[in-house]
Amino acid sequence: MVNDPTKVTWLYIDASNLYGALADVLASGDYIDFTDLMDSLEKDFHINKVKAYGTYLPDEPKSSVQRRKFIGAQNKFFRSMSVHPKVEFHKGYFSKTSKKEKGIDVKLAVDMLKDSYEGSYKCAVIMTGDDDFLYSVECVRKINIPVHLACIGSRFPFGLAHNTNERYVYDLYDYFKNSIQPTFNKPIHNLTVKSITKGVSIISV
């Protein structure tokens, strides 16, 4: 049973990847208030705590209008996430040399393992479209803690999908149904696809 109120469940969110997945489908400058997305998730999971990991994009005044809209929407999405009462938001940073996001993936992976071994949760949900967390998920499952996958339809992590207990895809505009799922060589078991298009409000910056 996934939605089990007797089993402490923590949700781990790769927030930067999550925003990217939403941006893949939405117009530049649009975002979804995190509360709406959380409402969809809590129809399937009894979530006690959320740990989110993301890096606010820096201002780029010389960038195109579209790029500045993208940055503005990401920042507002993160803020809507960080103020949610169940969320503990961990901010990363951008390296001045590589210009890449730092302090996010490793912290999420380590926290997920650390929390499991400390007995903080009895069930985990990881929300990402990135297979980089596969080893962490495998380690948690080895100590008999179920780990479920939640993702936005535009980014489906096949490695995690094959190594989690159950898989939930939250689909906007049937992107997954029409563009991703038809490419599968064979069906993935315990896969639930839910359209959230009518259940969320699209906000423009």
Side-chain angles (χ1 to χ4, degrees):
M1 180 179 180
V2 176
N3 195 346
D4 185 352
T6 68
K7 186 176 289 187
V8 176
T9 299
W10 284 17
L11 168 64
Y12 292 82
I13 298 179
D14 180 0
S16 297
N17 186 277
L18 171 58
Y19 176 72
L22 293 171
D24 288 342
V25 183
L26 300 175
S28 183
D30 287 355
Y31 71 99
I32 294 169
D33 189 280
F34 180 72
T35 299
D36 285 357
L37 187 56
M38 189 69 173
D39 287 345
S40 295
L41 289 166
E42 291 197 297
K43 291 176 182 176
D44 300 309
F45 304 102
H46 187 85
I47 299 169
N48 298 93
K49 182 173 182 174
V50 181
K51 298 183 84 168
Y53 303 77
T55 302
Y56 285 83
L57 291 167
D59 291 333
E60 298 177 6
K62 295 183 180 180
S63 295
S64 67
V65 173
Q66 293 296 95
R67 176 63 179 172
R68 294 201 302 273
K69 284 183 177 181
F70 179 92
I71 294 170
Q74 188 235 42
N75 290 345
K76 287 183 180 296
F77 175 67
F78 280 1
R79 290 190 190 104
S80 75
M81 183 183 294
S82 64
V83 299
H84 191 282
K86 291 187 179 181
V87 172
E88 181 181 291
F89 194 92
H90 299 266
K91 290 193 293 185
Y93 65 96
F94 280 95
S95 168
K96 292 181 180 180
T97 52
S98 68
K99 307 299 182 183
K100 293 183 179 180
E101 182 182 52
K102 299 292 184 180
I104 292 300
D105 286 4
V106 171
K107 183 164 181 55
L108 190 161
V110 170
D111 281 357
M112 189 176 183
L113 283 169
K114 174 177 173 289
D115 295 339
S116 69
Y117 279 90
E118 290 179 348
S120 298
Y121 61 81
K122 297 299 180 184
C123 177
V125 181
I126 184 165
M127 190 165 202
T128 183
D130 191 342
D131 278 329
D132 286 350
F133 302 106
L134 177 57
Y135 184 61
S136 299
V137 168
E138 289 175 339
C139 289
V140 173
R141 293 185 71 204
K142 281 182 180 178
I143 58 172
N144 296 317
I145 295 178
V147 181
H148 307 299
L149 170 67
C151 66
I152 298 299
S154 59
R155 297 190 182 184
F156 186 74
F158 285 90
L160 280 179
H162 287 289
N163 290 277
T164 43
N165 292 80
E166 296 190 26
R167 305 96 189 177
Y168 285 75
V169 174
Y170 297 90
D171 208 10
L172 274 168
Y173 306 123
D174 292 329
Y175 186 94
F176 179 82
K177 180 182 176 181
N178 295 327
S179 300
I180 305 295
Q181 201 165 17
T183 67
F184 288 6
N185 292 324
K186 58 182 179 180
I188 294 178
H189 298 297
N190 296 327
L191 175 65
T192 301
V193 182
K194 294 197 166 188
S195 173
I196 61 170
T197 306
K198 294 181 180 179
V200 298
S201 298
I202 309 300
I203 305 169
S204 298
V205 296

